[in-house]
Amino acid sequence: MNSVVMKFGGTSVADADAIRRLIAIVSAQAARSGAPPVVVVSAMSKVTDQLLRMTADASRGERATISSGVDEIRRRHLAAIEALVPPPDRDAVSAEVEQQIEELRAMLTALAILREASPRSCDGIAAAGELLSSRVVAGALQAAGIRTAWVDARQAIVTDDHYTAAAPLTVETGEALKREVAPHIATGLVPVIGGYVGATRDGVATTLGRGGSDYSAAIIGAGLGVAEIQIWTDVDGMLTADPRVVRDPRVVAHLSFGEASELAYFGAKVLHPSTILPAVSTDIPVRILNSRRPEAAGTLITARPPLNDRPIVALACKRNITVV
Ligand code: ADP
Ligand code: ASP
Ligand code: MG
């Protein structure tokens, strides 16, 4: 398939300005390739942390913080809609967000009454971040003249019931993607789908683990057989070291699947460690790009290692680990 998957992380959908940059990047890609890309989005930055904090509060019966937290999440999403989606479509997109917000409020209230937060309940609440952001991004792209179709990730990614770290079921997910996503591409629509989220065969919401939107992008790309999986983030690519630890690390232009996977596994947070698995099995290149500097070349990750001989590619580290 000529189409590509474009995944945008939390900072790349954080507010109206970030979503405007996303729209420009998606338009340029659609114009370049001719085929509609599939857009996968994370929750707006910090929203997942906030949702999980509220779930913990609810499990202790603390109801006061729930109300203010849900109000803040609601305000952020409605502000982005206000800035990006003019009437008459604004009302419909706002109504979808309001409905999701009310569901979230009801779930948290129920947990606060019951004082419980099972992994299954945590996932029901954590999934709201991507369900909300994908609604906003779909509405914003549509308002910018790009014909889109919002896809419910719970219909498109089928997982086991290992809540909070669910694994995709490859055959079922392949079938679901062909049913829920491929027809939109065939009719010229850009599918917009929340990352991180899936559902069991019975339709109960699951999540793929923290940072799992990268993994969703790779699962979707592999299931549809796209030409490339793009990970749009807030740095210029895979760097020679964690920029929060080392000053001025360099971008690594080209990595093999094995090298990238190892760096991700050992702490290079820019890529979820499982992302490479679906790409390897289908031999689809992965590119890491900066949504604030789309002109930068980024990092290309392919099956074949780059030709030049490099003694050290990059360093990664994990904190607070004791090896016994
Ligand atoms: P997103 O929200 O786009 O998924 P993440 O916060 O998950 O972004 O990952 C990007 C961050 O990963 C960067 O801002 C950077 O601080 C961190 N990071 C850690 N190690 C590396 C590395 N080797 N190369 C690039 N970024 C890294
Ligand atoms: N929103 C989820 C998280 O913060 C998934 C992701 O952003 O990749 O972990
Ligand atoms: Mg990430």
Side-chain angles (χ1 to χ4, degrees), residues 222-243:
L224 295 171
V226 299
E228 183 171 282
I229 296 159
Q230 300 176 355
I231 305 293
W232 290 88
T233 184
D234 59 356
V235 284
D236 278 353
M238 184 74 90
L239 304 170
T240 47
D242 187 336

Side-chain angles (χ1 to χ4, degrees), residues 176-253:
L177 289 167
K178 288 191 178 79
R179 188 182 66 237
E180 303 289 331
V181 180
H184 294 308
I185 302 173
T187 53
L189 302 181
V190 171
V192 180
I193 181 166
Y196 178 54
V197 174
T200 62
R201 287 192 183 104
D202 300 334
V204 182
T206 55
T207 68
L208 306 177
R210 296 306 308 270
S213 294
D214 300 332
Y215 190 21
S216 299
I219 294 164
I220 294 166
L224 295 171
V226 299
E228 183 171 282
I229 296 159
Q230 300 176 355
I231 305 293
W232 290 88
T233 184
D234 59 356
V235 284
D236 278 353
M238 184 74 90
L239 304 170
T240 47
D242 187 336
R244 291 160 304 180
V245 178
V246 174
R247 213 178 316 126
D248 295 332
R250 281 177 296 129
V251 180
V252 186

